[in-house]
Amino acid sequence: MAARRIPTTLDGPFRPVTRRLDPSLRRGSDDLPIDHPRLARKVRPPFPEQIALAASYSPSSIWVSWITGDAQIGTNVTPADPSTVASEVWYGEESGKYSFLERGTATVYSQLYPFRGLLNYTSGVIHHVRLQGLKTATRYYYKCGDSSLMALSKEHSFVTLPSCGPRYPHRIAVIGDLGLTSNSTSTIDHLSKNDPSMILMVGDLSYANQYLTTGGKGAPCFSCAFPDAPIRETYQPRWDAWGRFMEPVISKIPMMVIEGNHEIEPQVDGLTFKSYLARFAVPSQECGSNSNFYYSFNAGGVHFIMLGAYVDYNMTGAQYAWLRTDLHHVNRQVTPWVVAAWHPPWYNSYSSHYQEFECMRQEMEGLLYNHGVDIVFSGHVHAYERMNRVFNYALDPCGPVYITVGDGGNIEKVDVEFADDNRKCPSESDNIPEYGGVCHLNFTSGPAKGKFCWETQPEWSAFRESSFGHGILEVINSTYALWTWHRNQDAYKESRKGDQIYIVRQPELCFMKSAKITSEN
């Protein structure tokens, strides 16, 4: 039998295709209980747990993070003193031989609710150490912890990312809206089998803000359990459980995160994002953004840009100014590919979150287009959708390929309704973002002219399906990258792929076009 030809973006634009939810599958599953074996603590204090890696701006460095000590939850909590335990990483190129030592920083954070019935929380000690001067594409062995307390972790290892130029990461896994359900475990198990060298996590990680408040069933009913509380309680031990759940994977390959709306987690005095900001090391200072909400880094011949949708994204703001500078300094001879990621999609034909971040698109889309961004990954919508190349809602061979992968398996279940379905178009008062304004628009041309929703699947939507899963991006060379979306159910069926396409760059065509547009503007 002849092998099936994998299509390329040069074959597009494609006629829109929809695969609706397989009726033999459930829309979702309940949260794993806090005492589930995969969430259980494996070591006792002061030994490290929740060990995680993150890429730095340069492939010659990497971040190692972990937590020691006990978190506290209750009415009265006392933060631990981070200075009582050291932050050390011992590492080397041979197993059991640690020729190098690097020290880092430690912190704690608290989540406080001065309301009757709500529990306060303070974390264990969170450690971040940056290893520098590493050889690229090289395996290192390491232990982390505090040697003076005889409390070092067991040995782990990682392979540094390749240097910039003609080399590329082996496989890049892309996942969003994961949570801690039975579906989440299927996603991570399937992802692990695909052996990635790096993970992009495009927001909404632990869903700690919905564990106690939903009764484990995914209904946003926090007022039912806590009628007198003005804000929703987030159950912070779910973050610790999520760190333990992910450690077998991210203690050996770097995971790069960006914030989603479930990371906002408001608490007393209007503080937000405390857990996200404390738990994750990102290369914000190295890339000049100085904000953990948006940053960039290089992995081989790919420049990654992680943008924040829940902080100022307007043209007059700091993020836009940083993005303009960052894109201006990208050398496409060294990093031919530019991949961007943020949480809520700009192009989305599902009813859920339809046109929710239209303001962000109107502010930033032109900048990304003019600098030839190749691929954009987002989450937020709990389903899969791949777009035809598009710019300003018009098919454009030089627009990025936008892909939504908010289908990691969270408790809110998979989205199944499309805005073009009969009577499923949201009203313009729906889908109000947690941050930013509302810029909903009616289309001014094409089949949806004068309307808020299309009446059929939009021409810019190439393929969509309501299933949980994850994606793998394999960059072949400076021109071709293979994108594969793996549905969870395909883990049990050999040689099945949910969606697969070669994404092909056309720099000769598109850089000339973007230069012309820039000069005209």
Side-chain angles (χ1 to χ4, degrees):
M1 180 182 295
R4 180 182 68 89
R5 177 183 176 271
I6 299 172
T8 81
T9 50
L10 299 180
D11 300 325
F14 301 94
R15 294 182 60 183
V17 173
T18 295
R19 263 196 224 135
R20 295 187 180 270
L21 179 70
D22 184 339
S24 69
L25 302 174
R26 295 177 298 169
R27 280 191 60 191
S29 57
D30 292 345
D31 267 322
L32 300 177
I34 199 70
D35 60 354
H36 189 279
R38 291 182 68 156
L39 313 186
R41 192 172 197 161
K42 305 298 191 299
V43 298
R44 295 181 179 179
F47 284 89
E49 64 156 352
Q50 304 179 51
I51 300 169
L53 303 176
S56 189
Y57 184 80
S58 165
S60 63
S61 60
I62 198 166
W63 285 94
V64 184
S65 303
W66 68 93
I67 295 180
T68 55
D70 290 314
Q72 302 172 50
I73 188 164
T75 304
N76 297 310
V77 295
T78 303
D81 181 358
S83 67
T84 59
V85 59
S87 307
E88 300 175 347
V89 177
W90 296 80
Y91 63 102
E93 293 183 52
E94 294 184 47
S95 176
K97 294 184 179 180
Y98 313 111
S99 306
F100 307 102
L101 166 64
E102 195 71 55
R103 293 183 173 90
T105 61
T107 187
V108 299
Y109 77 94
S110 297
Q111 193 79 12
L112 302 177
Y113 304 101
F115 313 114
R116 183 170 60 86
L118 301 192
L119 299 176
N120 295 321
Y121 171 93
T122 187
S123 70
V125 179
I126 302 170
H127 305 262
H128 300 301
V129 178
R130 184 185 176 203
L131 310 185
Q132 302 183 65
L134 305 176
K135 299 177 182 178
T136 58
T138 301
R139 181 169 296 279
Y140 285 87
Y141 299 84
Y142 74 97
K143 290 186 175 184
C144 59
D146 185 343
S147 59
S148 69
L149 300 177
M150 304 293 288
L152 292 176
S153 69
K154 70 176 184 180
E155 183 181 84
H156 298 273
S157 73
F158 61 85
V159 176
T160 50
L161 294 167
S163 58
C164 299
R167 303 189 66 183
Y168 298 94
H170 169 56
R171 286 177 181 156
I172 303 158
V174 188
I175 188 172
D177 302 71
L178 184 60
L180 275 175
T181 69
S182 296
N183 286 117
S184 310
T185 64
S186 297
T187 301
I188 290 301
D189 290 346
H190 195 181
L191 179 151
S192 297
K193 290 179 181 177
N194 282 325
D195 189 28
S197 54
M198 186 179 75
I199 298 174
L200 288 186
M201 181 72 70
V202 293
D204 284 3
L205 284 66
S206 73
Y207 285 78
N209 70 328
Q210 289 196 181
Y211 182 65
L212 280 187
T213 58
T214 63
K217 304 298 180 183
C221 191
F222 63 94
S223 60
C224 301
F226 309 109
D228 298 324
I231 57 177
R232 175 184 291 191
E233 176 186 25
T234 77
Y235 189 62
Q236 292 295 298
R238 293 301 279 186
W239 274 111
D240 295 308
W242 195 84
R244 295 168 191 142
F245 172 73
M246 294 296 294
E247 180 180 330
V249 180
I250 61 177
S251 60
K252 58 185 180 182
I253 60 173
M255 177 182 71
M256 308 307 293
V257 302
I258 199 65
E259 74 279 2
N261 56 300
H262 285 272
E263 278 73 67
I264 297 175
E265 298 186 314
Q267 59 165 300
V268 67
D269 296 331
L271 295 175
T272 54
F273 290 107
K274 291 291 287 185
S275 182
Y276 169 81
L277 293 172
R279 289 177 180 267
F280 298 102
V282 299
S284 56
Q285 291 188 346
E286 298 102 284
C287 72
S289 90
N290 298 316
S291 168
N292 285 20
F293 294 119
Y294 50 90
Y295 60 93
S296 66
F297 64 99
N298 296 315
V302 187
H303 184 70
F304 290 92
I305 299 172
M306 311 291 276
L307 297 180
Y310 301 94
V311 292
D312 186 7
Y313 48 69
N314 292 311
M315 293 181 185
T316 55
Q319 179 176 199
Y320 189 95
W322 166 82
L323 175 60
R324 182 175 55 208
T325 300
D326 187 83
L327 286 168
H328 177 73
H329 286 104
V330 175
N331 184 342
R332 300 305 278 263
Q333 300 300 314
V334 176
T335 52
W337 289 86
V338 176
V339 175
W342 57 86
H343 184 58
W346 294 348
Y347 290 94
N348 163 41
S349 66
Y350 286 80
S351 298
S352 177
H353 305 300
Y354 182 76
Q355 280 200 25
E356 187 173 282
F357 273 77
E358 181 62 16
C359 290
M360 185 183 181
R361 184 193 70 81
Q362 292 178 23
E363 292 289 321
M364 286 187 157
E365 185 181 22
L367 186 59
L368 299 183
Y369 178 84
N370 289 339
H371 284 85
V373 170
D374 299 296
I375 308 171
V376 172
F377 293 113
S378 296
H380 204 40
V381 176
H382 302 151
Y384 175 76
E385 187 168 20
R386 172 175 52 83
M387 315 310 154
N388 284 311
R389 291 192 178 276
V390 60
F391 172 64
N392 197 26
Y393 288 107
L395 297 178
D396 189 313
C398 297
V401 175
Y402 290 84
I403 299 174
T404 300
V405 283
D407 53 357
N410 70 88
I411 197 171
E412 291 181 325
K413 301 183 178 180
V414 72
D415 286 320
V416 298
E417 295 177 346
F418 304 107
D420 49 89
D421 283 341
N422 186 32
R423 299 184 179 179
K424 297 301 181 183
C425 178
S427 73
E428 296 192 30
S429 62
D430 293 333
N431 299 333
I432 306 300
E434 288 91 340
Y435 181 88
V438 175
C439 301
H440 298 329
L441 55 79
N442 289 348
F443 296 97
T444 57
S445 62
K449 184 177 181 179
K451 299 175 182 177
F452 182 51
C453 293
W454 291 55
E455 294 181 351
T456 60
Q457 183 176 356
E459 61 182 358
W460 37 263
S461 172
F463 176 75
R464 60 190 184 184
E465 180 175 353
S466 300
S467 289
F468 287 127
H470 73 281
I472 296 287
L473 180 68
E474 301 174 74
V475 181
I476 311 301
N477 53 39
S478 63
T479 304
Y480 279 78
L482 178 63
W483 166 254
T484 306
W485 176 55
H486 297 269
R487 302 177 301 179
N488 282 358
Q489 59 265 35
D490 293 332
Y492 309 101
K493 300 175 182 177
E494 299 239 347
S495 300
R496 289 288 301 273
K497 306 290 190 300
D499 183 36
Q500 192 169 49
I501 190 169
Y502 280 107
I503 298 173
V504 184
R505 299 180 63 245
Q506 293 182 279
E508 298 82 3
L509 167 69
C510 297
F511 286 158
M512 290 178 59
K513 182 175 182 179
S514 65
K516 181 175 184 293
I517 293 173
T518 302
S519 64
E520 289 174 350
N521 290 339

